[in-house]
Amino acid sequence: MSTSPHELHLQLLALLFILAGLVHICSGDVGTAGQYAPPYLPTACYGNDVSEFPSSNFFASAGEGIWDNGAACGRQYLVRCISAVVPMTCIAGQTIQIKIVDRAVTSVSRPSRNGATMVLSTTAFGAVANASASSINIEFQQV
């Protein structure tokens, strides 16, 4: 039994659609995130001004890779956990929006991981990953 070129074309097209549905296209940058706990003040961006913190408590300190000589202050990012050393650490399908309020290397509270792309508040970290983890791999995009 032979397959006509038209049938073969349809089969290949169907396979392409199936494979495309399995692949996640990365729409942002990839980096790492640690977490830090209070005290959060003073910050390199806003000093002791509590009003600059989002009411959701989804905020972060910028790592040197995104600090940009202080221009990162106030930037907002969509962040999601994509993997970690320990399987099942990420909360699947959870993306949060955070605001940069500090610089990681000078923050009052020390991060759980040095050299991270960003250091999330405990609230933000716990929203995307198991809070017992010290660091995660993230996908992030400035909004």
Side-chain angles (χ1 to χ4, degrees), residues 36-61 74 76 97-103 107-108 119-123:
Y36 71 134
Y40 297 119
L41 296 174
T43 71
C45 295
Y46 306 112
N48 287 304
D49 188 355
V50 171
S51 71
E52 290 294 338
F53 285 75
S55 59
S56 66
N57 286 320
F58 289 172
F59 58 87
S61 292
Q76 300 208 21
Q97 185 169 327
I98 60 95
K99 178 181 179 180
I100 299 296
V101 298
D102 205 353
R103 183 180 188 185
S107 63
V108 174
V119 182
L120 304 173
S121 67
T122 54
T123 303

Side-chain angles (χ1 to χ4, degrees), residues 47-128:
N48 287 304
D49 188 355
V50 171
S51 71
E52 290 294 338
F53 285 75
S55 59
S56 66
N57 286 320
F58 289 172
F59 58 87
S61 292
E64 292 304 288
I66 63 171
W67 176 243
D68 196 15
N69 291 324
C73 292
R75 285 185 185 156
Q76 300 208 21
Y77 292 92
L78 294 176
V79 177
R80 75 179 185 99
C81 179
I82 54 174
S83 67
V85 172
V86 177
M88 307 300 290
T89 296
C90 296
I91 298 174
Q94 185 70 326
T95 299
I96 60 170
Q97 185 169 327
I98 60 95
K99 178 181 179 180
I100 299 296
V101 298
D102 205 353
R103 183 180 188 185
V105 297
T106 61
S107 63
V108 174
S109 178
R110 301 315 312 144
S112 62
R113 181 181 191 278
N114 289 325
T117 306
M118 61 181 67
V119 182
L120 304 173
S121 67
T122 54
T123 303
F125 193 94
V128 294

